[in-house]
Amino acid sequence: MSAVVITNTTEGPNGVPFMSLLIAVQGLRALNMGMRVTRLATSKRCMEIVSQATGIKYKRTDRNKALLDGEALLDSIRQSRSA
């Protein structure tokens, strides 16, 4: 059995790795459904990662706005990579 190693983190906007942004968005989705990805994936931490990528400071009540902005940013990164 071989281990999976990610050698290219694919830097996203503002130096935030694509994988970190992806996990933060998935964490926000899970929190909206009442679940938690891990103990450390709090809404505050996930929103901080999305905030680093978008450059927008989110209030603690703006979880859905951060989720929508993060998903839009992920879609734009995916489209730019496929083009």
Side-chain angles (χ1 to χ4, degrees), residues 24-77:
V25 168
Q26 289 177 349
L28 288 173
R29 278 189 207 136
L31 286 165
N32 279 347
M33 289 188 282
M35 301 183 325
R36 247 179 155 175
V37 179
T38 66
R39 281 186 8 214
L40 298 176
T42 62
S43 61
K44 179 181 177 183
R45 182 64 188 132
C46 291
M47 287 171 39
E48 285 174 356
I49 294 170
V50 173
S51 179
Q52 288 174 355
T54 61
I56 299 171
K57 178 86 171 141
Y58 298 104
K59 296 179 182 178
R60 63 186 170 121
T61 57
D62 290 341
R63 185 183 342 176
N64 291 328
K65 183 175 179 356
L67 177 59
L68 292 175
D69 290 348
E71 288 173 340
L73 188 58
L74 283 173
D75 288 340
S76 69
I77 293 171

